Amino acid sequence: MTDFNKLKKIVLDNNSFLITSHVNPDADAIGSEVAFYHLLKKLGKQAFIINHSSTPYNLEFFNKGNIINKFDETVHKNIFSEVDVLVALDFNRANRIVSMEKLFRESNKTKICIDHHQDPEKFVDESFIDTNACATGQIIYEFIKSTNIVPLDYDIAYPIYAAIMTDTGSFRFNRTTSEVHIIISELLKLGINPEEVYDKIYDQSKFSKIKLLGKALESIQLKAENKLGYMVLTQKDFKEFGAVESDTENFVNYNLSIENVVMGILFIELNNGFKVSFRSKGNIPVNKLAAEFGGGGHTNASGARFFTNNLQEMIPVILAKAETYLNNIR
Ligand code: 5GP
Ligand code: MN
């Protein structure tokens, strides 16, 4: 059980907070940040949101009043030693904040982590982790409800709804419990419009993203007796359409929509290395598979980043390792 009273005490006893989340943030990352920001503001606290990555365009609508900042070392260096508390949301390893990792580690201020991933690194003073939660946004909801630290209003409910909607794959992944639906029911009572949230996040894509999806679908290959599907996107593909990394969110899931496929992989060539996303069905632990390459995540959704330029060499290596995870289900 997460010790929310301890978290409440940290929030009430301190005045200024730096909130951050992981590289290439999704709606759980940004939504959790914005919800926590509003919670702190309602208590009259100083709060800053700073991320390694800029906010993906489909999540910019969260950034009313420009409350979300992209990390700039010259501007933000001192803040790590000036605020009272550093708040890590929706990640559990310091390398997930890339350019901010060093300053985060070196800060002597109180550090806390609120998260739902497995296998945490010990990089903070206090962790509030619930690996059964479907989203970090769910943990923030439960913190507010169980402590009554602030009233739950529309400003907080909206980003929490978005966090849960996206991290549950629109209420279909296996951590979409009846409790989650009860939370959603409460959020809807506060005036959330589900059609509007979905439309903003998923149905306002740039044409370039849909064209890139076409490339990704075209690239799918099947392996391991059709149990494994994988896609490859190169920098050439991104340049062809003017697409960006965050456009690839959810592409990997298309592998799993093919009959018999129980594991999907997406390889993405980046400017400075490459990224691999893993997805699985059932109890195939792709978090363990990702961890073999320095990454992590959840049982059914994980990823790893490589800061080397040998993607083509690594594809067969990673596929071979992935196949070993399929052996016991054959
Ligand atoms: P995605 O493939 O959508 O980027 O990430 C899927 C899940 O894996 C997310 O929960 C994300 O936090 C986690 N994940 C993705 N990349 C990495 C990584 O490089 N390191 C770790 N530890 N987790 C990752
Ligand atoms: Mn999450």
Side-chain angles (χ1 to χ4, degrees):
M1 189 58 202
T2 321
D3 188 350
F4 286 137
N5 283 323
K6 194 190 265 178
L7 178 55
K8 182 178 185 178
K9 186 164 163 37
I10 293 171
V11 169
L12 295 181
D13 287 354
N14 290 284
N15 288 317
S16 56
F17 299 78
L18 166 57
I19 302 166
T20 190
S21 192
H22 56 82
V23 57
N24 199 17
D26 54 16
D28 188 25
I30 301 278
S32 296
E33 291 183 319
V34 171
F36 207 71
Y37 175 92
H38 285 307
L39 179 158
L40 293 171
K41 284 294 181 186
K42 279 179 211 305
L43 293 167
K45 310 287 181 183
Q46 262 196 311
F48 308 93
I49 303 175
I50 305 178
N51 292 329
H52 164 79
S53 305
S54 44
T55 305
Y57 66 80
N58 64 326
L59 303 179
E60 256 303 322
F61 70 93
F62 277 125
N63 196 10
K64 283 196 197 88
N66 287 323
I67 58 174
I68 307 172
N69 301 284
K70 181 173 161 48
F71 176 63
D72 177 342
E73 176 138 17
T74 51
V75 179
H76 298 129
K77 194 164 70 186
N78 295 333
I79 202 166
F80 289 78
S81 52
E82 284 168 1
V83 294
D84 302 326
V85 183
L86 307 184
V87 185
L89 296 179
D90 199 41
F91 69 100
N92 64 12
R93 292 183 171 264
N95 67 2
R96 300 279 288 142
I97 53 176
V98 194
S99 57
M100 297 168 63
E101 174 179 358
K102 190 162 178 286
L103 286 166
F104 191 102
R105 283 193 193 280
E106 287 171 357
S107 168
N108 58 5
K109 299 299 176 158
T110 303
K111 297 169 201 169
I112 67 171
C113 168
I114 305 173
D115 183 50
H116 67 137
H117 294 91
Q118 290 165 9
D119 306 320
E121 175 197 353
K122 178 96 191 72
F123 73 115
V124 293
D125 302 296
E126 299 290 347
S127 289
F128 303 93
I129 291 177
D130 178 359
T131 55
N132 291 317
C134 67
T136 300
Q138 180 183 351
I139 306 175
I140 294 174
Y141 174 91
E142 281 164 359
F143 168 54
I144 294 170
K145 288 303 271 191
S146 72
T147 61
N148 285 315
I149 187 163
V150 292
L152 191 72
D153 66 5
Y154 185 84
D155 286 346
I156 296 180
Y158 195 108
I160 289 178
Y161 179 91
I164 295 176
M165 181 192 83
T166 53
D167 257 29
T168 57
S170 303
F171 314 111
R172 75 185 195 278
F173 297 154
N174 68 5
R175 278 181 290 179
T176 316
T177 57
S178 82
E179 287 76 27
V180 170
H181 280 288
I182 289 166
I183 293 170
I184 293 301
S185 165
E186 291 298 314
L187 299 177
L188 294 181
K189 283 182 204 158
L190 291 165
I192 306 303
N193 177 340
E195 189 180 12
E196 179 207 317
V197 182
Y198 189 95
D199 185 76
K200 280 194 165 127
I201 295 179
Y202 291 126
D203 285 347
Q204 296 294 330
S205 299
K206 299 253 189 277
F207 190 45
S208 56
K209 170 183 171 159
I210 301 305
K211 297 297 281 181
L212 189 72
L213 173 62
K215 274 277 176 197
L217 295 176
E218 212 175 272
S219 78
I220 295 182
Q221 303 216 42
L222 299 180
K223 259 185 98 67
E225 295 163 4
N226 300 342
K227 290 188 171 64
L228 170 61
Y230 70 96
M231 305 160 157
V232 183
L233 286 173
T234 63
Q235 276 297 297
K236 187 167 160 279
D237 299 325
F238 283 92
K239 289 196 180 109
E240 183 175 346
F241 305 117
V244 292
E245 182 191 342
S246 59
D247 285 332
T248 62
E249 166 124 36
N250 291 327
F251 284 10
V252 62
N253 291 313
Y254 283 92
N255 290 298
L256 295 181
S257 69
I258 303 165
E259 61 176 344
N260 299 318
V261 171
V262 289
M263 188 193 290
I265 305 181
L266 167 63
F267 296 95
I268 304 172
E269 187 182 31
L270 304 171
N271 272 331
N272 58 342
F274 61 97
K275 178 193 162 171
V276 189
S277 286
F278 302 96
R279 296 291 186 274
S280 68
K281 288 187 180 176
N283 56 7
I284 302 167
V286 288
N287 57 325
K288 298 215 160 64
L289 172 58
E292 301 210 35
F293 299 101
H298 310 283
T299 306
N300 296 128
S302 69
R305 265 167 202 273
F306 297 74
F307 295 94
T308 54
N309 288 319
N310 56 345
L311 170 62
Q312 297 303 335
E313 252 166 69
M314 285 303 288
I315 288 175
V317 175
I318 293 166
L319 290 176
K321 185 58 83 179
E323 280 198 59
T324 67
Y325 283 73
L326 297 170
N327 289 339
N328 52 358
I329 59 142
R330 273 183 203 172

